[in-house]
Amino acid sequence: MRAPLRPSELDGPGFHRVTVVEESESTNSELVAAVRAEPDAWPAPSALVAEHQTAGRGRVGRSWATPPRASLTVSVLLRPAVPPERLGWLPLIAGTAVVRAVARTLSRHGGDPVQLAVKWPNDVLVRATTPVAGLGGYRKVAGILAEVVPEGTAGTDAAVVLGIGLNVSQTQDELPVETASSLALAGHPDLDRTALLTALLGEVADAVERWEQADGDPVASGLADECAAVSATLGTRVRAQLAGGAGAVEGEALRLDATGALVIRTDAGHERTVSAGDVHHLR
């Protein structure tokens, strides 16, 4: 039997509110609705956590569910004091926070490290022994979805709900697709989800604070280097399926631009900037 989270120990640094519920269709949808209905009840940063999510939402309307207490399913309300054009960095910053939180938790509990990496723009991957199409020698262990909350108050920082779903203890039979994995399958079956969530909230809060102090500049804050250091995408050959059926761009993933978009050099030597789309790793 999987252990429940211990809400009394979720003391994320700087968080005003961390609410744990037993079940939610989608923590992102519920938190967006709650913030629109009662914004003062959810000061930033706050978090909504579900032990069991039945209809989670990913990019492009994809849905997914997890077994009860097998994952971390958390949505964080932020109001990043950064220029709006820099918000594209948020999923990359969150992915890097996941990598750092797992490493920190394993280090504190004497566990061997696990090799995680971030796939542009919003997936966290774990090393695998056999390759799969689109991911190479990795499997997906976490997904991230950032949503701007529509609000009517002018002159305030945009509210963003940042959803993170991290597979912790799923067995192979409990995963929906062969391209997914869990931390347990990566060799860490006994991770304490409460400690892991506390570490994750701390890493998110720290990264966003540094980002804000640098006025959203990813280079000055050091976040650009941190994201690049854990990227599974940069330096590899990729094919980006552009949003809205606008075709594809294939070539080498060179760098991230000032907005967090991916710069790809095609075989013809041209640089193309991709701000949205699905990226497939070709080698």
Side-chain angles (χ1 to χ4, degrees):
M1 181 142 179
R2 290 171 168 129
L5 291 167
R6 303 182 298 279
S8 63
E9 298 177 27
L10 293 174
D11 54 349
F15 272 73
H16 298 283
R17 176 176 178 179
V18 180
T19 297
V20 178
V21 298
E22 192 61 32
E23 184 174 301
S24 169
E25 287 191 359
S26 164
T27 55
N28 258 38
S29 294
E30 291 195 14
L31 187 52
V32 167
V35 171
R36 296 193 70 183
E38 292 185 275
D40 292 341
W42 294 91
S46 292
L48 175 65
V49 187
E51 290 281 29
H52 180 36
Q53 183 163 257
T54 59
R57 293 185 297 112
R59 292 179 63 246
V60 203
R62 297 175 182 133
S63 63
W64 52 276
T66 59
R69 300 176 179 174
S71 65
L72 287 182
T73 306
V74 54
S75 293
V76 177
L77 174 72
L78 300 168
R79 292 185 182 274
V82 303
E85 62 271 18
R86 299 290 176 91
L87 289 176
W89 275 93
L90 195 51
L92 300 166
I93 291 170
T96 303
V98 171
V99 174
R100 292 167 68 93
V102 172
R104 194 170 109 192
T105 303
L106 290 173
S107 174
R108 286 185 174 180
H109 292 80
D112 295 329
V114 59
Q115 189 172 357
L116 299 183
V118 177
K119 174 177 173 286
W120 187 93
N122 65 333
D123 290 336
V124 179
L125 311 178
V126 63
R127 273 290 183 188
T129 55
T130 56
V132 291
L135 294 180
Y138 287 97
R139 298 287 191 279
K140 180 176 175 177
V141 75
I144 296 159
L145 178 65
E147 298 183 79
V148 176
V149 181
E151 292 185 298
T153 305
T156 60
D157 296 316
V160 181
V161 169
L162 178 67
I164 302 172
L166 173 62
N167 295 338
V168 179
S169 65
Q170 285 96 324
T171 65
Q172 193 68 54
D173 291 342
E174 292 174 323
L175 295 169
V177 292
E178 68 166 341
T179 53
S181 188
S182 68
L183 295 176
L185 290 172
H188 301 281
D190 300 317
L191 272 177
D192 183 333
R193 289 188 308 131
T194 298
L196 187 55
L197 179 55
T198 298
L200 177 57
L201 295 177
E203 291 291 347
V204 169
D206 174 73
V208 171
E209 182 179 5
R210 287 188 287 134
W211 192 37
E212 291 177 326
Q213 289 174 348
D215 194 29
D217 188 328
V219 175
S221 65
L223 294 169
D225 286 343
E226 291 177 16
C227 290
V230 299
S231 176
T233 301
L234 297 182
T236 66
R237 185 171 182 81
V238 301
R239 182 176 64 254
Q241 297 292 147
L242 303 180
V249 177
E250 186 170 320
E252 181 186 0
L254 290 180
R255 64 183 180 276
L256 304 171
D257 77 1
T259 68
L262 182 65
V263 180
I264 299 173
R265 181 171 58 209
T266 68
D267 293 340
H270 304 301
E271 291 190 3
R272 293 282 303 276
T273 300
V274 178
S275 58
D278 284 333
V279 167
H280 303 272
H281 291 183
L282 301 180
R283 68 165 186 260

